[in-house]
Amino acid sequence: NAGVMQNPRHLVRRRGQEARLRCSPMKGHSHVYWYRQLPEEGLKFMVYLQKENIIDESGMPKERFSAEFPKEGPSILRIQQVVRGDSAAYFCASSPTRADGFGKLFFGSGTQLSVL
Amino acid sequence: DAKTTQPNSMESNEEEPVHLPCNHSTISGTDYIHWYRQLPSQGPEYVIHGLTSNVNNRMASLAIAEDRKSSTLILHRATLRDAAVYYCILRDVNNQGGKLIFGQGTELSVKP
């Protein structure tokens, strides 16, 4: 059973370009979470999605960032008009059900975004 | 989710036990205690979780104080591969949001 797959592993963009980060959850998982880790900082929650629905986007920046998890295919985190401050590691996690107090999240290896 | 307090860093020698403490004095009765760790250049991985009783699994043991205001993650024999940042996280069983809130964690270094 493959784990959470994120691609690309590394992504380089110039300022002003768009970045698209993909996350394929583990088989049978219908809940996806995106986190961002800035250099020398901790993991910050961004957004929580179920199939075709955004459940919690309280950690998403108000502009340029969007996320989707369509009925078919991977979850996508999109960053428009990237700036140098967007350079970070972006991690995706999945869970089979609503991750309540005794559930656990499975994380991917992340996408390292570098903005030149 | 309630707040936890962990030391910023700890050191251990290879093949010796490691006790990683976590304080959570404001824990509520419905909070589970979860531990995750993040190896260098990797995503976090689940280690263990518990509610009231001590827990053991193949990776570690979790000792929970009787008043639940603190807990300790125990690695019985540290290896070089255990060098990571360890996060102690409280999760309310009634949490509808599902997200994990990570603190700064404890950076564990293991010396050969």
Side-chain angles (χ1 to χ4, degrees), chain B residues 2-99:
Chain B
K3 185 177 173 58
T4 63
T5 304
Q6 300 176 252
N8 289 332
S9 62
M10 291 185 66
E11 280 189 353
S12 172
N13 294 317
E14 197 176 11
E15 299 189 4
E16 289 186 356
V18 182
H19 291 232
L20 296 163
C22 180
N23 289 322
H24 28 78
S25 58
T26 59
I27 191 170
S28 74
T30 53
D31 282 330
Y32 278 77
I33 302 160
H34 287 245
W35 284 82
Y36 281 73
R37 72 179 186 180
Q38 186 176 19
L39 280 70
S41 302
Q42 296 291 324
E45 65 174 340
Y46 167 84
V47 177
I48 201 167
H49 77 274
L51 182 63
T52 56
S53 303
N54 294 343
V55 184
N56 299 295
N57 67 20
R58 64 176 181 80
M59 289 181 71
S61 295
L62 177 59
I64 301 173
E66 195 170 333
D67 63 6
R68 301 210 323 127
K69 293 184 184 300
S70 65
S71 61
T72 301
L73 180 70
I74 302 166
L75 307 179
H76 295 285
R77 289 183 71 223
T79 69
L80 296 178
R81 199 187 167 282
D82 291 321
V85 179
Y86 287 77
Y87 299 97
C88 170
I89 303 167
L90 300 185
R91 294 291 310 282
D92 189 330
V93 70
N94 298 314
N95 183 354
Q96 298 295 318
K99 62 193 177 191

Side-chain angles (χ1 to χ4, degrees), chain A residues 12-89:
Chain A
V12 179
R13 285 288 178 266
R14 296 191 180 278
R15 281 180 297 170
Q17 291 184 320
E18 179 180 282
R20 290 168 64 91
L21 287 63
R22 288 178 291 277
C23 169
S24 296
M26 289 180 68
K27 186 176 180 181
H29 288 194
S30 58
H31 298 242
V32 165
Y33 311 77
W34 285 93
Y35 286 79
R36 177 167 67 173
Q37 189 167 34
L38 294 166
E40 306 303 322
E41 293 191 16
L43 286 147
K44 301 298 183 186
F45 167 80
M46 299 182 75
V47 63
Y48 162 39
L49 311 101
Q50 295 177 25
K51 287 282 187 180
E52 301 184 278
N53 289 300
I54 296 174
I55 307 302
D56 180 355
E57 55 182 349
S58 58
M60 286 281 270
K62 293 289 184 276
E63 297 177 349
R64 301 188 297 109
F65 285 72
S66 62
E68 63 177 9
F69 188 18
K71 187 176 180 181
E72 301 291 338
S75 175
I76 305 289
L77 179 67
R78 181 184 301 164
I79 311 172
Q80 295 177 303
Q81 299 176 317
V82 296
V83 300
R84 289 213 172 110
D86 297 331
S87 296

Side-chain angles (χ1 to χ4, degrees), chain A residues 88-101:
Chain A
Y90 291 82
F91 293 98
C92 166
S94 71
S95 69
T97 60
R98 175 176 62 87
D100 50 28

